[in-house]
Amino acid sequence: MSGIFCSLRQLSVTYARGNAVAALDRVDLDIKAGERLAIIGESGSGKSTLARALAGLLPDGAKVDGEMLWPGLGHPPRPGRDFGFVFQDPGTSLNPVLTIGEQIAEGARRHLGLGWKQASIRAEELLDRVRMPQPGKLMRAFPHQLSGGQRQRVAIAAAIAARPQLLIADEATSALDVVVQAEIVRLLDGLVREDGMTLLFITHDIALASGFVDRIAVFGNGRLVEAGPVRSVLSAPKSDYTSALIASHRDLATPPLIAEVLP
Ligand SMILES: Nc1ncnc2c1ncn2[C@@H]1O[C@H](COP(=O)(O)OP(=O)(O)O)[C@@H](O)[C@H]1O
Ligand SMILES: [Mg+2]
């Protein structure tokens, strides 16, 4: 599929009524079908608000202006079916009293109309796809028996159980150590390539994202600061804010992914 998956036109979100500052302020952005797009920005810049707006997960009372159009879908989006989500803390997206098998099978059952038996078979296949060892045994395990990285793999399996066209990962690797972070990024990258999914990779870590995404959209103070292909944003940032985000990562011990791009 080619073309535009989702178009945001002057999209604004304000959480509280009155004169509250917009958490998202007149954003114009196209998400291309099949692209891997990073949403970058410092804490509080509106990244998660964008994810929640796309997902229809804004809290009651939030005011939304502008438009979200879905030319790539052809119908209004069905959360959980058309998009999958992976959040920073798999503890909040995984239910502690359900087995790993049940968590993943539930999405397939509900959205694809499979029976439990069929859904369980699919869950086991998905555990294999997210490279979990011994998927059959793992089906009966509970989230607390897994490491943070393994829980995030399970959350990814659950997120793609209904074969969504768009995967939204909001700081999905931020709670993990650097090695596990790189493994999860590689996994996400592989899955979206294999399935032709569109990926929205939301992170404050421009170095991490720039190693694998196609385009970067930089957010600051609820506004879209700039958007473009990774190489152009990194080598010729249009704003001081973007330059500062890039500079702040040069000293860090994270894999120097941007070094591949910058001269
Ligand atoms: N549920 C909420 N109620 C009120 N304000 C919120 C809520 N969630 C986020 N905000 C505010 O909206 C702004 C953007 O937040 P957020 O989208 O979470 O940023 P980011 O994900 O980039 O850190 C911040 O000023 C934040 O305090
Ligand atoms: Mg956030």
Side-chain angles (χ1 to χ4, degrees), residues 53-180:
L54 288 168
L57 291 174
L58 287 167
D60 287 347
K63 182 170 170 288
V64 182
D65 288 309
E67 283 185 298
M68 273 185 281
L69 309 166
W70 303 91
L73 273 181
H75 54 76
R78 299 160 297 180
R81 173 72 173 87
D82 297 309
F83 334 123
F85 311 102
V86 187
F87 300 104
Q88 174 166 347
D89 178 10
T92 58
S93 44
L94 296 180
N95 186 330
V97 301
L98 292 184
T99 64
I100 301 305
E102 286 165 337
Q103 329 248 2
I104 302 171
E106 169 59 19
R109 200 185 61 81
R110 188 188 312 171
H111 297 293
L112 299 180
L114 302 180
W116 273 114
K117 175 90 185 132
Q118 234 55 43
S120 291
I121 292 169
R122 174 150 176 80
E124 203 170 320
E125 288 166 1
L126 283 161
L127 283 172
D128 191 48
R129 279 201 75 196
V130 297
R131 320 264 143 66
M132 290 292 281
Q134 299 185 285
K137 193 170 159 213
L138 192 65
M139 290 284 287
R140 296 183 297 278
F142 288 91
H144 74 266
Q145 295 171 283
L146 308 180
S147 70
Q150 290 173 327
R151 279 203 290 267
Q152 204 55 299
R153 285 175 191 270
V154 169
I156 292 168
I160 62 170
R163 298 196 187 92
Q165 292 184 45
L166 173 68
L167 185 60
I168 302 176
D170 188 355
E171 303 279 7
T173 62
S174 303
L176 305 172
D177 67 54
V178 176
V179 173
V180 181

Side-chain angles (χ1 to χ4, degrees), residues 43-44 46-49 52 88 170-171 202:
S43 178
K47 307 183 297 296
S48 294
T49 300
R52 285 193 286 266
Q88 174 166 347
D170 188 355
E171 303 279 7
I202 301 178

